[in-house]
Amino acid sequence: MRRKAYDSLLAWKNGSAGKTALLVQGARRVGKSYIVEEFAKKEYRSYILIDFNKAGEQVKDLFNNDLNDMRSFFLKLSALYGTSLHERESLIIFDEVQLFPRARSAVKYLVADGGSEGILVASEIALISIRENVKDILIPSEEDRLDMYPFDFEEFLWALGDDTIMPLIRDSFEKKRPLGQALHRKTMNLFRQYITVGGMPQAVEAFVRTNDLSEVDRAKRRILNLYRDDIRKHAKGYEMKVEAIYDEIPSQLKNQNRHFKISSLEKGARFGEYRDAMFWLSDAMIVNNCYNSTEPNVGLNMNRDRTLLKCYMSDTGLLVSHAFDENRIMGEEIYKKLLIDKLEVNMGMVTENAVAQMLTAAGHRLYFYSSPSRNQAQDRMEIDFLISKSRVGNRHNISPIEVKSGKNYTLSSLRKFVAKYGEQLHTPYVLHSADLKIEDGITFLPLYMACLL
């Protein structure tokens, strides 16, 4: 399936000239190994895939004993894999390299002076237990990085065979014109399919191949179970706390808490006791953490409160299956209600999670704003997201975003926020289920345009 990461791989190949390796980061089952190998097949004369989950001692010994003689290293590697390596026309891929960190530290030798024999090296890794496995090695400076996420909305449309709607959406966004009733309704139906199915490749493939939502749900549950197994295997020392947070995410989002309440996990629990567990899930890219920024100015990160955060699933389709966990399978009827927006639950958590996912894939770090002032009503406000935009003139570059899943809603917090910080802000946005409009200085965008912010 077509992925935007492929274009990033091409840009790396053309820009690095063999002088850097590429570390592809992403959650398990997000499609890293598949896209890297497809890239190797199409863009190189030959390639060698070293899977350190299967590599024998002969291969590992090369990294321990032969790095002082790179010509010998490449000749032996070529012989072990029965693949000829060609100067500037071959690619070496490290898969599951977290299982053999020595190979990652060897990257500096493999790419020295343009790659010795001219071999490009792509280090491909899943961030499982990465802190533990790199603590005793030197991270190579000759390493570029590429973050890979689940399918975004445009990639989902490509998978459905539709490459016409997104250019139209982008044109509408840039010109700030509504899409029109018929096209907007069609696009919202596709968007509901996207957030219901999600962006994990196995779930998308099952949907495209069978159009059977029960089959889609089974694909997602296999991934959820894999994540749970990874937690128990790799979150050493605090696996129970990681699993407790993982299980609690749907409940926290359903209650629309402005931040993740650690006290719900254990009576009297403090954030410091769960900090490492929370960050493990983020490092593994299973979740997207969103931090409270206490001041909406150019330095959102400088005003970040690391103890006050919201925790979103990295894939909204996984959240849907994780939240509706009855009998470990989600019924076809529930899926149909989701698709036509008739499910008798608060859809705010699903919608907000989808926006967090799209903003993350678009390159934004996630921040929100919360001021629970008890004394001044005008200071009591909550804003779903804050993002940095291009600076215009003397104005600051922060845009507040409110996410609305229903048709009837108020904007009291956003209006108070604009009244208080208006001189510091770029465009305020509301993401809702209706078409594009601009009203009272606020830009109202359909939810599917979140990926363009």
Side-chain angles (χ1 to χ4, degrees):
M1 293 184 179
R2 183 180 174 189
R3 301 298 305 271
K4 293 178 181 179
Y6 195 98
D7 295 333
S8 298
L9 291 169
L10 272 177
W12 164 72
K13 177 188 177 186
N14 296 330
S16 72
K19 295 181 179 180
T20 64
L22 184 68
L23 175 68
V24 182
Q25 303 181 131
R28 292 257 266 164
R29 293 292 187 263
V30 83
K32 302 181 303 299
S33 298
Y34 173 81
I35 199 68
V36 170
E37 189 166 9
E38 283 297 299
F39 172 70
K41 291 176 181 177
K42 293 179 181 179
E43 305 297 334
Y44 292 88
R45 187 175 171 185
S46 69
Y47 73 95
I48 291 176
L49 170 62
I50 306 175
D51 183 347
F52 287 103
N53 191 41
K54 302 175 182 177
E57 291 303 316
Q58 284 184 304
V59 173
K60 293 178 180 179
D61 284 345
L62 293 179
F63 294 91
N64 293 321
N65 304 321
D66 290 87
L67 292 178
N68 292 326
D69 183 353
M70 295 310 302
R71 179 173 178 79
S72 175
F73 174 91
F74 288 123
L75 287 172
K76 290 180 179 180
L77 187 67
S78 178
L80 284 170
Y81 281 88
T83 300
S84 298
L85 295 174
H86 308 279
E87 186 174 351
R88 306 295 300 130
E89 296 181 285
S90 295
L91 181 70
I92 299 174
I93 305 169
F94 294 166
D95 199 1
E96 301 290 353
V97 74
Q98 76 277 6
L99 299 176
F100 189 63
R102 173 61 178 154
R104 188 178 175 195
S105 67
V107 162
K108 65 179 180 178
Y109 302 105
L110 298 176
V111 299
D113 299 323
S116 187
E117 291 291 310
I119 308 301
L120 297 178
V121 181
S123 300
E124 192 275 341
I125 185 171
L127 283 180
I128 299 297
S129 196
I130 190 65
R131 288 180 178 176
E132 176 185 346
N133 283 307
V134 300
K135 62 183 179 181
D136 295 324
I137 71 168
L138 179 66
I139 302 299
S141 59
E142 303 83 359
E143 184 180 84
D144 294 331
R145 299 192 180 192
L146 170 63
D147 289 336
M148 191 167 174
Y149 301 102
F151 281 51
D152 66 15
F153 184 47
E154 185 171 18
E155 290 173 320
F156 181 76
L157 292 175
W158 291 342
L160 297 183
D162 190 323
D163 58 2
T164 62
I165 289 182
M166 200 62 199
L168 185 63
I169 294 172
R170 191 171 284 110
D171 183 69
S172 172
F173 174 79
E174 292 171 353
K175 295 176 179 177
K176 296 298 182 286
R177 296 175 182 172
L179 207 58
Q181 185 176 5
L183 285 169
H184 170 69
R185 186 185 302 113
K186 176 182 178 180
T187 307
M188 277 302 299
N189 287 337
L190 289 168
F191 181 73
R192 290 191 189 96
Q193 290 180 26
Y194 170 61
I195 63 176
T196 302
V197 172
M200 300 305 284
Q202 295 88 343
V204 176
E205 188 274 335
F207 182 65
V208 172
R209 176 173 50 84
T210 69
N211 202 33
D212 182 345
L213 293 172
S214 295
E215 183 67 25
V216 171
D217 192 66
R218 281 188 283 272
K220 290 190 290 180
R221 291 190 186 281
R222 285 192 290 270
I223 297 171
L224 290 169
N225 290 334
L226 176 66
Y227 287 173
R228 193 178 301 279
D229 290 341
D230 283 337
I231 290 169
R232 293 167 179 168
K233 182 177 179 180
H234 297 290
K236 296 177 180 177
Y238 40 86
E239 55 268 35
M240 291 181 66
K241 291 180 178 179
V242 175
E243 191 167 359
I245 294 170
Y246 178 74
D247 287 336
E248 184 68 11
I249 291 172
S251 178
Q252 294 275 339
L253 293 176
K254 177 184 176 183
N255 293 332
Q256 293 188 305
N257 294 323
R258 304 321 299 171
H259 63 278
F260 195 101
K261 293 186 176 180
I262 297 296
S263 59
S264 66
L265 302 175
E266 181 183 357
K267 187 176 181 179
R270 298 175 179 271
F271 181 81
E273 299 169 343
Y274 282 82
R275 180 186 288 109
D276 287 344
M278 186 73 76
F279 294 153
W280 189 94
L281 284 167
S282 178
D283 284 348
M285 298 177 78
I286 293 173
V287 303
N288 295 321
N289 286 339
C290 181
Y291 295 93
N292 183 39
S293 186
T294 57
E295 185 71 23
N297 59 35
V298 67
L300 288 175
N301 191 49
M302 295 172 59
N303 299 305
R304 179 174 65 169
D305 181 354
R306 290 181 64 89
T307 66
L308 199 63
L309 56 84
K310 295 188 286 186
C311 189
Y312 298 102
M313 291 285 289
S314 61
D315 181 71
T316 306
L318 291 182
L319 172 66
V320 168
S321 293
H322 195 25
F324 300 95
D325 206 26
E326 300 297 327
N327 300 319
R328 299 290 175 183
I329 191 71
M330 209 172 131
E332 187 89 9
E333 190 62 30
I334 295 178
Y335 267 119
K336 288 179 179 178
K337 288 183 177 181
L338 271 170
L339 290 174
I340 61 175
D341 200 21
K342 297 294 184 182
L343 192 63
E344 297 88 355
V345 298
N346 188 334
M347 284 295 293
M349 72 165 182
V350 175
T351 305
E352 194 172 319
N353 197 95
V355 171
Q357 178 181 343
M358 289 190 287
L359 292 177
T360 299
H364 294 288
R365 291 187 175 183
L366 299 181
Y367 299 95
F368 70 101
Y369 179 86
S370 179
S371 177
S373 175
R374 297 181 179 179
N375 300 320
Q376 301 293 330
Q378 66 269 24
D379 291 332
R380 192 160 51 245
M381 61 188 99
E382 299 170 340
I383 303 298
D384 294 326
F385 298 103
L386 301 176
I387 61 171
S388 297
K389 300 288 288 182
S390 300
R391 191 161 182 162
V392 179
N394 294 323
R395 294 170 67 89
H396 285 286
N397 66 343
I398 304 303
S399 282
I401 300 174
E402 281 281 80
V403 181
K404 304 297 181 182
S405 58
K407 295 180 180 179
N408 300 314
Y409 54 81
T410 61
L411 298 174
S412 56
S413 283
L414 183 61
R415 297 191 191 282
K416 286 190 287 186
F417 189 83
V418 171
K420 183 173 183 178
Y421 297 111
E423 292 302 315
Q424 301 173 219
L425 302 179
H426 198 281
T427 308
Y429 293 101
V430 172
L431 294 170
H432 64 170
S433 59
D435 207 345
L436 189 153
K437 66 176 181 178
I438 299 175
E439 191 175 274
D440 297 331
I442 299 172
T443 300
F444 294 76
L445 298 176
L447 288 161
Y448 48 78
M449 288 189 182
C451 58
L452 301 177
L453 291 175

